[in-house]
Amino acid sequence: MVDTDRIVGGAKEALGKAQGTVGDALGSNRDSVEGRFRDAQGQAQNAYGRAKDTASDLADRAGDYASEAYDRAGDYADEAYERGSSYLRSGHRTVTAQVEEYPMIALLIAGAVGYGLALLVHGRR
């Protein structure tokens, strides 16, 4: 979208050039200087309008990129959650099957793990 500063700046620039040309043709130093001044004002205002347009476009693009990144992050999180829960269910089934098949070995392993944790927590005295 074109900024109003660009439109007004372009108009001032055109009128300033015209006034400067007419001043030069008529030999009027005042009109020539005023025309060049208006031309310079118009160029500055036009440049300001272009800078505002560019900044606005960049802000829009940054918002779009942030929105896309947010959506992708959500997709990755959903995928990681599903994969993790799948691994958890698979591990649960595997451990359950092993415990059901070898209950005494599972009991010995659980006891050894408990003893090891107790040593870590309390240490040897």
Side-chain angles (χ1 to χ4, degrees):
M1 185 166 136
V2 177
D3 187 68
T4 56
D5 285 316
R6 291 180 68 183
I7 295 169
V8 172
K12 280 184 182 178
E13 189 177 346
L15 291 174
K17 285 182 183 182
Q19 185 179 5
T21 303
V22 169
D24 289 342
L26 296 177
S28 172
N29 196 25
R30 180 175 180 230
D31 284 334
S32 180
V33 170
E34 278 184 22
R36 291 196 184 6
F37 179 72
R38 282 190 182 154
D39 180 22
Q41 278 182 323
Q43 288 177 5
Q45 192 169 2
N46 196 355
Y48 175 70
R50 282 195 310 270
K52 281 182 14 182
D53 285 346
T54 301
S56 176
D57 290 345
L58 289 175
D60 289 344
R61 283 191 211 152
D64 292 344
Y65 290 142
S67 178
E68 289 174 15
Y70 178 79
D71 291 342
R72 279 193 305 249
D75 292 343
Y76 291 144
D78 289 342
E79 185 179 320
Y81 178 79
E82 289 299 322
R83 196 176 314 142
S85 62
S86 172
Y87 291 149
L88 180 64
R89 285 190 299 273
S90 174
H92 180 266
R93 282 192 299 270
T94 303
V95 169
T96 300
Q98 292 297 318
V99 168
E100 287 175 354
E101 191 171 338
Y102 306 105
M104 286 304 288
I105 293 176
L107 186 61
L108 289 173
I109 291 173
V113 168
Y115 182 74
L117 286 174
L119 284 178
L120 284 174
V121 171
H122 297 291
R124 290 192 177 180
R125 291 187 187 185

mmCIF file of all heavy atoms in Angstrom, residues 12-59:
data_model
loop_
_atom_site.group_PDB
_atom_site.id
_atom_site.type_symbol
_atom_site.label_atom_id
_atom_site.label_comp_id
_atom_site.label_asym_id
_atom_site.label_seq_id
_atom_site.Cartn_x
_atom_site.Cartn_y
_atom_site.Cartn_z
ATOM 1 N N LYS A 12 4.919 17.438 -4.313
ATOM 2 C CA LYS A 12 5.801 18.576 -3.988
ATOM 3 C C LYS A 12 7.029 18.582 -4.887
ATOM 4 O O LYS A 12 7.487 19.632 -5.337
ATOM 5 C CB LYS A 12 6.259 18.491 -2.526
ATOM 6 C CG LYS A 12 5.259 18.964 -1.524
ATOM 7 C CD LYS A 12 5.863 18.910 -0.127
ATOM 8 C CE LYS A 12 4.897 19.336 0.942
ATOM 9 N NZ LYS A 12 5.480 19.243 2.288
ATOM 10 N N GLU A 13 7.553 17.391 -5.124
ATOM 11 C CA GLU A 13 8.741 17.271 -5.975
ATOM 12 C C GLU A 13 8.443 17.773 -7.391
ATOM 13 O O GLU A 13 9.211 18.568 -7.966
ATOM 14 C CB GLU A 13 9.181 15.802 -5.996
ATOM 15 C CG GLU A 13 10.500 15.538 -6.644
ATOM 16 C CD GLU A 13 10.898 14.061 -6.546
ATOM 17 O OE1 GLU A 13 10.296 13.302 -5.755
ATOM 18 O OE2 GLU A 13 11.819 13.691 -7.270
ATOM 19 N N ALA A 14 7.307 17.336 -7.940
ATOM 20 C CA ALA A 14 6.950 17.745 -9.306
ATOM 21 C C ALA A 14 6.691 19.257 -9.380
ATOM 22 O O ALA A 14 7.174 19.939 -10.307
ATOM 23 C CB ALA A 14 5.717 16.973 -9.768
ATOM 24 N N LEU A 15 5.941 19.770 -8.406
ATOM 25 C CA LEU A 15 5.663 21.210 -8.404
ATOM 26 C C LEU A 15 6.934 22.021 -8.176
ATOM 27 O O LEU A 15 7.113 23.102 -8.769
ATOM 28 C CB LEU A 15 4.623 21.548 -7.331
ATOM 29 C CG LEU A 15 3.202 21.037 -7.601
ATOM 30 C CD1 LEU A 15 2.303 21.301 -6.408
ATOM 31 C CD2 LEU A 15 2.638 21.676 -8.859
ATOM 32 N N GLY A 16 7.822 21.532 -7.323
ATOM 33 C CA GLY A 16 9.083 22.233 -7.084
ATOM 34 C C GLY A 16 9.941 22.293 -8.335
ATOM 35 O O GLY A 16 10.546 23.332 -8.639
ATOM 36 N N LYS A 17 9.994 21.161 -9.064
ATOM 37 C CA LYS A 17 10.774 21.165 -10.312
ATOM 38 C C LYS A 17 10.180 22.133 -11.314
ATOM 39 O O LYS A 17 10.913 22.873 -12.006
ATOM 40 C CB LYS A 17 10.818 19.749 -10.904
ATOM 41 C CG LYS A 17 11.755 18.830 -10.170
ATOM 42 C CD LYS A 17 11.803 17.456 -10.800
ATOM 43 C CE LYS A 17 12.710 16.575 -9.938
ATOM 44 N NZ LYS A 17 12.862 15.249 -10.471
ATOM 45 N N ALA A 18 8.844 22.128 -11.397
ATOM 46 C CA ALA A 18 8.183 23.040 -12.342
ATOM 47 C C ALA A 18 8.453 24.494 -11.954
ATOM 48 O O ALA A 18 8.779 25.333 -12.814
ATOM 49 C CB ALA A 18 6.678 22.762 -12.361
ATOM 50 N N GLN A 19 8.325 24.804 -10.653
ATOM 51 C CA GLN A 19 8.567 26.181 -10.205
ATOM 52 C C GLN A 19 10.023 26.581 -10.439
ATOM 53 O O GLN A 19 10.310 27.702 -10.855
ATOM 54 C CB GLN A 19 8.205 26.328 -8.723
ATOM 55 C CG GLN A 19 8.320 27.752 -8.217
ATOM 56 C CD GLN A 19 7.935 27.881 -6.754
ATOM 57 O OE1 GLN A 19 7.670 26.890 -6.085
ATOM 58 N NE2 GLN A 19 7.907 29.111 -6.258
ATOM 59 N N GLY A 20 10.956 25.656 -10.194
ATOM 60 C CA GLY A 20 12.371 25.950 -10.433
ATOM 61 C C GLY A 20 12.658 26.191 -11.900
ATOM 62 O O GLY A 20 13.411 27.107 -12.261
ATOM 63 N N THR A 21 12.039 25.403 -12.776
ATOM 64 C CA THR A 21 12.238 25.568 -14.220
ATOM 65 C C THR A 21 11.667 26.899 -14.700
ATOM 66 O O THR A 21 12.295 27.618 -15.486
ATOM 67 C CB THR A 21 11.588 24.395 -14.982
ATOM 68 O OG1 THR A 21 12.134 23.171 -14.503
ATOM 69 C CG2 THR A 21 11.834 24.500 -16.465
ATOM 70 N N VAL A 22 10.458 27.215 -14.215
ATOM 71 C CA VAL A 22 9.833 28.494 -14.592
ATOM 72 C C VAL A 22 10.672 29.657 -14.066
ATOM 73 O O VAL A 22 10.880 30.656 -14.762
ATOM 74 C CB VAL A 22 8.374 28.551 -14.071
ATOM 75 C CG1 VAL A 22 7.804 29.962 -14.204
ATOM 76 C CG2 VAL A 22 7.500 27.558 -14.802
ATOM 77 N N GLY A 23 11.148 29.547 -12.843
ATOM 78 C CA GLY A 23 11.995 30.604 -12.270
ATOM 79 C C GLY A 23 13.263 30.799 -13.071
ATOM 80 O O GLY A 23 13.714 31.930 -13.288
ATOM 81 N N ASP A 24 13.866 29.672 -13.524
ATOM 82 C CA ASP A 24 15.074 29.783 -14.350
ATOM 83 C C ASP A 24 14.759 30.451 -15.681
ATOM 84 O O ASP A 24 15.527 31.290 -16.172
ATOM 85 C CB ASP A 24 15.681 28.392 -14.606
ATOM 86 C CG ASP A 24 16.323 27.799 -13.367
ATOM 87 O OD1 ASP A 24 16.606 28.547 -12.408
ATOM 88 O OD2 ASP A 24 16.531 26.554 -13.349
ATOM 89 N N ALA A 25 13.609 30.061 -16.279
ATOM 90 C CA ALA A 25 13.246 30.604 -17.592
ATOM 91 C C ALA A 25 12.934 32.093 -17.505
ATOM 92 O O ALA A 25 13.276 32.863 -18.414
ATOM 93 C CB ALA A 25 12.035 29.850 -18.147
ATOM 94 N N LEU A 26 12.295 32.516 -16.429
ATOM 95 C CA LEU A 26 11.929 33.932 -16.290
ATOM 96 C C LEU A 26 13.043 34.760 -15.664
ATOM 97 O O LEU A 26 12.953 35.989 -15.596
ATOM 98 C CB LEU A 26 10.655 34.071 -15.445
ATOM 99 C CG LEU A 26 9.378 33.460 -16.019
ATOM 100 C CD1 LEU A 26 8.234 33.615 -15.035
ATOM 101 C CD2 LEU A 26 9.032 34.133 -17.345
ATOM 102 N N GLY A 27 14.075 34.097 -15.163
ATOM 103 C CA GLY A 27 15.177 34.820 -14.534
ATOM 104 C C GLY A 27 14.853 35.230 -13.105
ATOM 105 O O GLY A 27 15.529 36.092 -12.548
ATOM 106 N N SER A 28 13.836 34.619 -12.497
ATOM 107 C CA SER A 28 13.458 34.942 -11.122
ATOM 108 C C SER A 28 14.244 34.038 -10.175
ATOM 109 O O SER A 28 13.972 32.844 -10.065
ATOM 110 C CB SER A 28 11.948 34.731 -10.927
ATOM 111 O OG SER A 28 11.608 34.855 -9.567
ATOM 112 N N ASN A 29 15.202 34.634 -9.518
ATOM 113 C CA ASN A 29 16.056 33.872 -8.598
ATOM 114 C C ASN A 29 15.239 33.318 -7.431
ATOM 115 O O ASN A 29 15.465 32.210 -6.979
ATOM 116 C CB ASN A 29 17.189 34.779 -8.103
ATOM 117 C CG ASN A 29 18.298 33.965 -7.468
ATOM 118 O OD1 ASN A 29 18.471 32.788 -7.770
ATOM 119 N ND2 ASN A 29 19.053 34.610 -6.601
ATOM 120 N N ARG A 30 14.262 34.098 -6.947
ATOM 121 C CA ARG A 30 13.434 33.677 -5.809
ATOM 122 C C ARG A 30 12.624 32.430 -6.168
ATOM 123 O O ARG A 30 12.580 31.459 -5.409
ATOM 124 C CB ARG A 30 12.516 34.825 -5.404
ATOM 125 C CG ARG A 30 11.632 34.460 -4.247
ATOM 126 C CD ARG A 30 10.816 35.682 -3.786
ATOM 127 N NE ARG A 30 9.980 35.266 -2.679
ATOM 128 C CZ ARG A 30 8.694 35.498 -2.611
ATOM 129 N NH1 ARG A 30 8.078 36.140 -3.583
ATOM 130 N NH2 ARG A 30 8.003 35.112 -1.562
ATOM 131 N N ASP A 31 11.938 32.432 -7.315
ATOM 132 C CA ASP A 31 11.140 31.273 -7.737
ATOM 133 C C ASP A 31 12.019 30.054 -7.986
ATOM 134 O O ASP A 31 11.638 28.929 -7.670
ATOM 135 C CB ASP A 31 10.344 31.594 -9.014
ATOM 136 C CG ASP A 31 9.135 32.480 -8.743
ATOM 137 O OD1 ASP A 31 8.630 32.430 -7.596
ATOM 138 O OD2 ASP A 31 8.707 33.201 -9.660
ATOM 139 N N SER A 32 13.182 30.282 -8.536
ATOM 140 C CA SER A 32 14.109 29.191 -8.801
ATOM 141 C C SER A 32 14.548 28.525 -7.499
ATOM 142 O O SER A 32 14.536 27.301 -7.365
ATOM 143 C CB SER A 32 15.324 29.719 -9.567
ATOM 144 O OG SER A 32 16.227 28.672 -9.821
ATOM 145 N N VAL A 33 14.911 29.333 -6.506
ATOM 146 C CA VAL A 33 15.363 28.788 -5.216
ATOM 147 C C VAL A 33 14.205 28.114 -4.484
ATOM 148 O O VAL A 33 14.350 27.019 -3.930
ATOM 149 C CB VAL A 33 15.996 29.911 -4.350
ATOM 150 C CG1 VAL A 33 16.236 29.427 -2.923
ATOM 151 C CG2 VAL A 33 17.294 30.382 -4.978
ATOM 152 N N GLU A 34 13.020 28.760 -4.475
ATOM 153 C CA GLU A 34 11.853 28.149 -3.829
ATOM 154 C C GLU A 34 11.500 26.823 -4.498
ATOM 155 O O GLU A 34 11.135 25.853 -3.824
ATOM 156 C CB GLU A 34 10.642 29.087 -3.895
ATOM 157 C CG GLU A 34 10.618 30.147 -2.834
ATOM 158 C CD GLU A 34 9.344 30.993 -2.893
ATOM 159 O OE1 GLU A 34 8.326 30.519 -3.455
ATOM 160 O OE2 GLU A 34 9.370 32.116 -2.385
ATOM 161 N N GLY A 35 11.574 26.776 -5.807
ATOM 162 C CA GLY A 35 11.261 25.554 -6.542
ATOM 163 C C GLY A 35 12.212 24.423 -6.177
ATOM 164 O O GLY A 35 11.793 23.280 -5.946
ATOM 165 N N ARG A 36 13.491 24.748 -6.111
ATOM 166 C CA ARG A 36 14.466 23.717 -5.739
ATOM 167 C C ARG A 36 14.273 23.257 -4.291
ATOM 168 O O ARG A 36 14.437 22.091 -3.973
ATOM 169 C CB ARG A 36 15.875 24.245 -5.958
ATOM 170 C CG ARG A 36 16.143 24.408 -7.451
ATOM 171 C CD ARG A 36 17.563 24.560 -7.811
ATOM 172 N NE ARG A 36 17.943 24.814 -9.167
ATOM 173 C CZ ARG A 36 17.207 25.050 -10.232
ATOM 174 N NH1 ARG A 36 15.924 25.064 -10.162
ATOM 175 N NH2 ARG A 36 17.725 25.286 -11.417
ATOM 176 N N PHE A 37 13.892 24.218 -3.416
ATOM 177 C CA PHE A 37 13.634 23.864 -2.024
ATOM 178 C C PHE A 37 12.425 22.927 -1.927
ATOM 179 O O PHE A 37 12.468 21.916 -1.219
ATOM 180 C CB PHE A 37 13.397 25.142 -1.196
ATOM 181 C CG PHE A 37 13.109 24.864 0.252
ATOM 182 C CD1 PHE A 37 14.118 24.430 1.097
ATOM 183 C CD2 PHE A 37 11.827 25.032 0.762
ATOM 184 C CE1 PHE A 37 13.855 24.167 2.438
ATOM 185 C CE2 PHE A 37 11.562 24.771 2.097
ATOM 186 C CZ PHE A 37 12.571 24.342 2.946
ATOM 187 N N ARG A 38 11.345 23.258 -2.643
ATOM 188 C CA ARG A 38 10.165 22.384 -2.641
ATOM 189 C C ARG A 38 10.497 21.024 -3.245
ATOM 190 O O ARG A 38 10.000 19.997 -2.778
ATOM 191 C CB ARG A 38 9.023 23.026 -3.412
ATOM 192 C CG ARG A 38 8.323 24.088 -2.638
ATOM 193 C CD ARG A 38 7.065 24.535 -3.335
ATOM 194 N NE ARG A 38 6.457 25.605 -2.565
ATOM 195 C CZ ARG A 38 5.677 26.517 -3.071
ATOM 196 N NH1 ARG A 38 5.389 26.515 -4.367
ATOM 197 N NH2 ARG A 38 5.153 27.457 -2.314
ATOM 198 N N ASP A 39 11.304 21.005 -4.262
ATOM 199 C CA ASP A 39 11.744 19.746 -4.885
ATOM 200 C C ASP A 39 12.474 18.892 -3.845
ATOM 201 O O ASP A 39 12.202 17.701 -3.699
ATOM 202 C CB ASP A 39 12.647 20.050 -6.076
ATOM 203 C CG ASP A 39 13.147 18.807 -6.790
ATOM 204 O OD1 ASP A 39 12.511 17.744 -6.665
ATOM 205 O OD2 ASP A 39 14.185 18.893 -7.472
ATOM 206 N N ALA A 40 13.388 19.526 -3.101
ATOM 207 C CA ALA A 40 14.141 18.797 -2.071
ATOM 208 C C ALA A 40 13.213 18.308 -0.966
ATOM 209 O O ALA A 40 13.348 17.184 -0.476
ATOM 210 C CB ALA A 40 15.239 19.681 -1.496
ATOM 211 N N GLN A 41 12.241 19.153 -0.553
ATOM 212 C CA GLN A 41 11.274 18.723 0.457
ATOM 213 C C GLN A 41 10.476 17.515 -0.040
ATOM 214 O O GLN A 41 10.238 16.565 0.705
ATOM 215 C CB GLN A 41 10.286 19.856 0.774
ATOM 216 C CG GLN A 41 10.774 20.879 1.744
ATOM 217 C CD GLN A 41 9.679 21.909 2.013
ATOM 218 O OE1 GLN A 41 8.919 22.282 1.114
ATOM 219 N NE2 GLN A 41 9.630 22.387 3.247
ATOM 220 N N GLY A 42 10.048 17.587 -1.288
ATOM 221 C CA GLY A 42 9.277 16.486 -1.870
ATOM 222 C C GLY A 42 10.084 15.197 -1.927
ATOM 223 O O GLY A 42 9.573 14.113 -1.623
ATOM 224 N N GLN A 43 11.357 15.299 -2.300
ATOM 225 C CA GLN A 43 12.207 14.106 -2.344
ATOM 226 C C GLN A 43 12.377 13.501 -0.958
ATOM 227 O O GLN A 43 12.324 12.284 -0.787
ATOM 228 C CB GLN A 43 13.572 14.461 -2.941
ATOM 229 C CG GLN A 43 13.550 14.723 -4.425
ATOM 230 C CD GLN A 43 14.911 15.137 -4.959
ATOM 231 O OE1 GLN A 43 15.907 15.151 -4.238
ATOM 232 N NE2 GLN A 43 14.961 15.483 -6.250
ATOM 233 N N ALA A 44 12.571 14.380 0.041
ATOM 234 C CA ALA A 44 12.732 13.894 1.419
ATOM 235 C C ALA A 44 11.459 13.230 1.917
ATOM 236 O O ALA A 44 11.495 12.157 2.533
ATOM 237 C CB ALA A 44 13.123 15.051 2.339
ATOM 238 N N GLN A 45 10.309 13.854 1.648
ATOM 239 C CA GLN A 45 9.046 13.274 2.099
ATOM 240 C C GLN A 45 8.755 11.966 1.363
ATOM 241 O O GLN A 45 8.260 11.012 1.953
ATOM 242 C CB GLN A 45 7.907 14.273 1.882
ATOM 243 C CG GLN A 45 6.620 13.874 2.573
ATOM 244 C CD GLN A 45 5.594 14.990 2.585
ATOM 245 O OE1 GLN A 45 5.814 16.073 2.045
ATOM 246 N NE2 GLN A 45 4.460 14.732 3.201
ATOM 247 N N ASN A 46 9.089 11.899 0.102
ATOM 248 C CA ASN A 46 8.919 10.672 -0.683
ATOM 249 C C ASN A 46 9.805 9.563 -0.119
ATOM 250 O O ASN A 46 9.375 8.417 0.037
ATOM 251 C CB ASN A 46 9.251 10.957 -2.146
ATOM 252 C CG ASN A 46 8.740 9.878 -3.074
ATOM 253 O OD1 ASN A 46 8.212 8.869 -2.640
ATOM 254 N ND2 ASN A 46 8.902 10.106 -4.364
ATOM 255 N N ALA A 47 11.052 9.896 0.206
ATOM 256 C CA ALA A 47 11.972 8.905 0.787
ATOM 257 C C ALA A 47 11.459 8.422 2.146
ATOM 258 O O ALA A 47 11.528 7.233 2.470
ATOM 259 C CB ALA A 47 13.367 9.495 0.927
ATOM 260 N N TYR A 48 10.928 9.349 2.940
ATOM 261 C CA TYR A 48 10.346 8.986 4.238
ATOM 262 C C TYR A 48 9.174 8.014 4.046
ATOM 263 O O TYR A 48 9.052 7.022 4.759
ATOM 264 C CB TYR A 48 9.906 10.251 4.971
ATOM 265 C CG TYR A 48 9.188 9.998 6.270
ATOM 266 C CD1 TYR A 48 9.866 9.503 7.377
ATOM 267 C CD2 TYR A 48 7.829 10.261 6.393
ATOM 268 C CE1 TYR A 48 9.203 9.278 8.579
ATOM 269 C CE2 TYR A 48 7.164 10.036 7.581
ATOM 270 C CZ TYR A 48 7.850 9.540 8.671
ATOM 271 O OH TYR A 48 7.188 9.311 9.846
ATOM 272 N N GLY A 49 8.317 8.297 3.082
ATOM 273 C CA GLY A 49 7.183 7.411 2.793
ATOM 274 C C GLY A 49 7.639 6.033 2.342
ATOM 275 O O GLY A 49 7.068 5.010 2.742
ATOM 276 N N ARG A 50 8.687 5.981 1.509
ATOM 277 C CA ARG A 50 9.222 4.683 1.071
ATOM 278 C C ARG A 50 9.781 3.907 2.256
ATOM 279 O O ARG A 50 9.594 2.693 2.368
ATOM 280 C CB ARG A 50 10.300 4.882 0.006
ATOM 281 C CG ARG A 50 9.762 5.172 -1.370
ATOM 282 C CD ARG A 50 10.816 5.004 -2.461
ATOM 283 N NE ARG A 50 12.062 5.694 -2.207
ATOM 284 C CZ ARG A 50 12.344 6.943 -2.581
ATOM 285 N NH1 ARG A 50 11.438 7.654 -3.222
ATOM 286 N NH2 ARG A 50 13.512 7.473 -2.313
ATOM 287 N N ALA A 51 10.471 4.616 3.157
ATOM 288 C CA ALA A 51 11.027 3.948 4.346
ATOM 289 C C ALA A 51 9.912 3.398 5.228
ATOM 290 O O ALA A 51 10.012 2.275 5.754
ATOM 291 C CB ALA A 51 11.891 4.927 5.135
ATOM 292 N N LYS A 52 8.829 4.166 5.396
ATOM 293 C CA LYS A 52 7.695 3.672 6.193
ATOM 294 C C LYS A 52 7.064 2.451 5.537
ATOM 295 O O LYS A 52 6.705 1.494 6.224
ATOM 296 C CB LYS A 52 6.649 4.783 6.371
ATOM 297 C CG LYS A 52 7.021 5.779 7.432
ATOM 298 C CD LYS A 52 6.022 6.892 7.712
ATOM 299 C CE LYS A 52 4.647 6.811 7.202
ATOM 300 N NZ LYS A 52 3.814 7.980 7.521
ATOM 301 N N ASP A 53 6.905 2.474 4.212
ATOM 302 C CA ASP A 53 6.348 1.320 3.499
ATOM 303 C C ASP A 53 7.229 0.090 3.677
ATOM 304 O O ASP A 53 6.743 -1.016 3.922
ATOM 305 C CB ASP A 53 6.196 1.619 2.002
ATOM 306 C CG ASP A 53 5.020 2.525 1.699
ATOM 307 O OD1 ASP A 53 4.164 2.704 2.589
ATOM 308 O OD2 ASP A 53 4.959 3.052 0.572
ATOM 309 N N THR A 54 8.532 0.288 3.558
ATOM 310 C CA THR A 54 9.469 -0.824 3.719
ATOM 311 C C THR A 54 9.408 -1.389 5.131
ATOM 312 O O THR A 54 9.369 -2.610 5.320
ATOM 313 C CB THR A 54 10.902 -0.370 3.398
ATOM 314 O OG1 THR A 54 10.941 0.121 2.056
ATOM 315 C CG2 THR A 54 11.893 -1.501 3.541
ATOM 316 N N ALA A 55 9.366 -0.513 6.121
ATOM 317 C CA ALA A 55 9.284 -0.973 7.514
ATOM 318 C C ALA A 55 7.988 -1.733 7.761
ATOM 319 O O ALA A 55 7.973 -2.766 8.436
ATOM 320 C CB ALA A 55 9.393 0.214 8.470
ATOM 321 N N SER A 56 6.903 -1.250 7.199
ATOM 322 C CA SER A 56 5.616 -1.930 7.356
ATOM 323 C C SER A 56 5.636 -3.307 6.698
ATOM 324 O O SER A 56 5.150 -4.286 7.271
ATOM 325 C CB SER A 56 4.504 -1.069 6.742
ATOM 326 O OG SER A 56 3.275 -1.731 6.796
ATOM 327 N N ASP A 57 6.217 -3.382 5.498
ATOM 328 C CA ASP A 57 6.331 -4.675 4.815
ATOM 329 C C ASP A 57 7.190 -5.649 5.614
ATOM 330 O O ASP A 57 6.851 -6.830 5.741
ATOM 331 C CB ASP A 57 6.933 -4.497 3.412
ATOM 332 C CG ASP A 57 5.981 -3.795 2.454
ATOM 333 O OD1 ASP A 57 4.772 -3.710 2.769
ATOM 334 O OD2 ASP A 57 6.451 -3.321 1.398
ATOM 335 N N LEU A 58 8.300 -5.157 6.148
ATOM 336 C CA LEU A 58 9.172 -6.020 6.956
ATOM 337 C C LEU A 58 8.457 -6.513 8.211
ATOM 338 O O LEU A 58 8.598 -7.676 8.600
ATOM 339 C CB LEU A 58 10.454 -5.284 7.325
ATOM 340 C CG LEU A 58 11.435 -5.053 6.185
ATOM 341 C CD1 LEU A 58 12.605 -4.200 6.665
ATOM 342 C CD2 LEU A 58 11.932 -6.360 5.620
ATOM 343 N N ALA A 59 7.691 -5.633 8.847
ATOM 344 C CA ALA A 59 6.945 -6.038 10.046
ATOM 345 C C ALA A 59 5.902 -7.102 9.693
ATOM 346 O O ALA A 59 5.722 -8.069 10.441
ATOM 347 C CB ALA A 59 6.282 -4.823 10.681
#
